[in-house]
């Protein structure tokens, strides 16, 4: 209300109801809650049609392709003062760095 008073000055009305919705009035509140809400009866007193008594209702179909149960992968963030390993591939045949066994230029597979 102080902001409205500062914006409009003396033209600003002192009644809050002039600047708020009519749905916040006592009359609208009483009208909304004037009736009563009936409670749900006990389960023993429910009436079911005979044709539905022995019928099993299957659960709704859920497409397994739309459900993802595994965790999402995330990139590891480097901490303060932490450096990533600069280890390079090493050939298991010649023990040379820079390539691995499957890409070895001198290896002849059987």
């Amino acid at each position: 209300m102080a902001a409205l008073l500062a914006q409009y000055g003396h033209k600003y009305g002192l009644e809050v109801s002039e600047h708020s919705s009519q749905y916040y009035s006592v009359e609208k509140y009483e009208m909304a809650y004037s009736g009563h809400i009936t409670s749900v009866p006990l389960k023993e007193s429910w009436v079911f049609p005979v044709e539905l008594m022995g019928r099993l209702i299957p659960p709704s179909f859920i497409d397994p392709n739309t459900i993802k149960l595994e965790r999402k992968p995330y990139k590891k963030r480097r901490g303060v003062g932490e450096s990533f390993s600069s280890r390079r591939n090493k050939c298991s045949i010649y023990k040379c760095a820079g390539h691995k066994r499957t890409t070895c230029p001198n290896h002849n597979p059987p």
Side-chain angles (χ1 to χ4, degrees):
M1 295 205 34
L4 291 173
L5 182 59
Q7 182 177 359
Y8 296 110
H10 296 293
K11 295 178 184 176
Y12 173 73
L14 297 177
E15 292 293 323
V16 177
S17 60
E18 293 178 14
H19 301 283
S20 60
S21 174
Q22 62 177 342
Y23 293 106
Y24 295 108
S25 67
V26 174
E27 295 84 20
K28 293 289 183 180
Y29 179 85
E30 288 175 348
M31 189 180 350
Y33 295 101
S34 63
H36 68 281
I37 300 172
T38 58
S39 61
V40 178
L42 295 174
K43 190 174 182 178
E44 292 80 26
S45 65
W46 293 356
V47 178
F48 291 103
V50 177
E51 59 270 5
L52 294 180
M53 292 299 286
R55 185 176 181 185
L56 292 177
I57 300 173
S60 60
F61 175 73
I62 298 174
D63 187 13
N65 296 328
T66 60
I67 298 175
K68 296 185 179 183
L69 298 175
E70 67 270 357
R71 288 178 150 186
K72 290 183 178 181
Y74 67 95
K75 276 186 154 182
K76 183 179 182 328
R77 295 185 184 189
R78 189 173 9 173
V80 177
E82 181 184 4
S83 63
F84 286 113
S85 170
S86 60
R87 195 175 117 192
R88 297 184 55 174
N89 290 335
K90 188 175 182 182
C91 178
S92 61
I93 299 171
Y94 295 104
K95 310 295 187 225
C96 300
H99 66 274
K100 53 187 181 176
R101 179 185 181 144
T102 57
T103 60
C104 183
N106 299 328
H107 176 63
N108 296 325

